[in-house]
Amino acid sequence: MKMLINSPETVVADALRGMAAAHPELNVDVEGRLVVRRDARERGRVGLVSGGGSGHEPLHAGFVGYGMLSAACPGEVFTSPVPDQMLRAASAVEAGQGVLFVVKNYTGDVLNFQMAAELAEEDGVRVEQVLVNDDVAVTDSLYTAGRRGTGATLFVEKIAGAAAEEGAPLEQVAAIARRVNECSRSFGVALTACSTPAKGGPTFDLPDGEMELGVGIHGEPGRERRAVMPAREIAEVAVGAVLEELVEVAPADGPVLVLVNGMGATPLLELYGFHAEVARLLEARGVPVARALVGNYVTSLDMAGSSVTLCRADADMLRLWDAPVQTAALRWGR
């Protein structure tokens, strides 16, 4: 596989050096694997910290900035960051109001963030945690106990980040983050496997002419494999799976936030065409779309494919979604 890298061993460090050069508004600790807002401790806000394995960019470092995350802890490719990173992140953003950890439901992330939370509290830092587990495709997968955390992570980080920016207390920021997660469901599809720098080739076997329905963001198996289908049929599977689970979220006739997310190698031309099918199906089923976001936000290296995330949003969530944000990968209203 051809990759635009120096070596597999330095790929994360090289990316962090590039982020530091491109975004001087961020403090990037290359050796310590930490990305922090320069103004993280100003005005006594609640600090928001997230992180996970690299390879899902712009998640999470690309969402550090005004109105979103205070800090991100990037691990090695598809590998959880370690508790020491999370502890240093909590210390770097703690401004007297406590810290919220946003944790995707993968075993390594869950265990390491829990350990970091305990260590931070021993140091006198109040910590709340929210677990993102929005993927409806499978339960108890290769990396998880329960459902995987995927596209809803963006919704949680944006909406909770806006609440923190407004000066909401820790308990309130944690509550809105949990509510967003509870109101969100996702389903992903893969057209090709992803390739890690260390392996230098596909991480799983997906024959030509086949696709994986319900794939995870590390290439974990989904519900089934089928012959490649047109976008309209893929959308029917993904939207149907999400709406089947979303009926338990009240109000059943409420509007939704929509994320049509690329897995890394699918161009916007295809993603917008796929979104057209998603929007058509939602309209046909009487589901009003409040806001839509299309692009590569929660990726899986060079995997081709897409995920669909819907969040049943109330007025407060929509207000916080619309609030100004200024990060490397998401920005509006400022």
Side-chain angles (χ1 to χ4, degrees):
M1 300 291 294
K2 297 178 181 178
M3 295 183 179
L4 194 63
I5 64 174
N6 291 318
S7 72
E9 293 76 22
T10 66
V11 65
V12 175
D14 290 344
L16 289 173
R17 278 194 289 271
M19 173 165 269
H23 298 284
E25 71 277 12
L26 300 175
N27 285 325
V28 181
D29 182 349
V30 176
E31 297 304 319
R33 298 291 197 267
L34 200 61
V35 179
V36 185
R37 286 178 61 170
R38 285 194 182 276
D39 62 348
R41 303 179 76 171
E42 294 179 7
R43 295 196 294 111
R45 295 176 296 247
V46 168
L48 259 72
V49 174
S50 194
S54 296
H56 305 302
E57 289 73 21
L59 193 78
H60 293 274
F63 299 141
V64 174
Y66 182 92
M68 215 159 173
L69 292 178
S70 307
C73 308
E76 293 301 316
V77 173
F78 289 0
T79 302
S80 172
V82 297
D84 183 59
Q85 287 174 262
M86 302 158 185
L87 185 61
R88 284 186 285 108
S91 177
V93 306
E94 157 62 9
Q97 301 301 315
V99 175
L100 177 67
F101 285 168
V102 178
V103 187
K104 300 189 306 302
N105 189 31
Y106 297 96
T107 302
D109 290 3
V110 172
L111 293 175
N112 289 349
F113 269 105
Q114 179 60 44
M115 185 179 298
E118 293 170 359
L119 293 171
E121 288 173 347
E122 289 177 5
D123 290 341
V125 178
R126 289 189 302 134
V127 177
E128 291 269 3
Q129 299 185 71
V130 58
L131 188 68
V132 182
N133 57 353
D134 54 305
D135 184 12
V136 304
V138 294
T139 302
D140 298 330
S141 67
L142 181 64
Y143 289 82
T144 62
R147 289 179 167 173
R148 304 175 291 214
T150 58
T153 313
L154 184 152
F155 290 156
V156 170
E157 292 177 355
K158 170 62 183 80
I159 292 172
E165 202 69 58
E166 290 182 347
L170 178 60
E171 294 76 14
Q172 187 176 328
V173 176
I176 189 72
R178 294 186 183 109
R179 189 158 92 246
V180 172
N181 177 66
E182 291 163 1
C183 293
S184 301
R185 305 288 188 275
S186 298
F187 189 92
V189 297
L191 304 178
T192 67
C194 56
S195 303
T196 63
K199 185 176 176 64
T203 56
F204 62 96
D205 178 48
L206 187 57
D208 290 342
E210 293 187 8
M211 61 184 300
E212 185 84 26
L213 295 175
V215 73
I217 58 173
H218 307 95
E220 311 98 307
R223 290 185 176 181
E224 61 176 313
R225 288 189 177 181
R226 291 190 193 175
V228 174
M229 303 180 293
R232 71 178 70 88
E233 295 179 20
I234 298 172
E236 286 170 0
V237 174
V239 172
V242 171
L243 289 181
E244 183 180 349
E245 299 283 342
L246 209 58
V247 293
E248 61 196 54
V249 178
D253 59 350
V256 296
L257 295 171
V258 179
L259 171 63
V260 169
N261 170 68
M263 293 294 195
T266 298
L268 279 171
L269 181 71
E270 296 177 30
L271 291 176
Y272 274 113
F274 187 54
H275 176 66
E277 300 300 338
V278 171
R280 174 184 60 81
L281 289 167
L282 292 173
E283 181 179 11
R285 298 191 183 202
V287 180
V289 174
R291 308 286 187 274
L293 189 63
V294 179
N296 290 287
Y297 295 101
V298 184
T299 64
S300 183
L301 293 169
D302 60 344
M303 182 186 289
S306 177
S307 61
V308 176
T309 303
L310 303 180
C311 174
R312 189 81 72 186
D314 59 27
D316 193 38
M317 290 156 62
L318 289 177
R319 180 184 64 81
L320 293 168
W321 176 259
D322 289 340
V325 60
Q326 187 169 343
T327 70
L330 203 68
R331 55 181 63 204
W332 58 68
R334 191 170 189 245

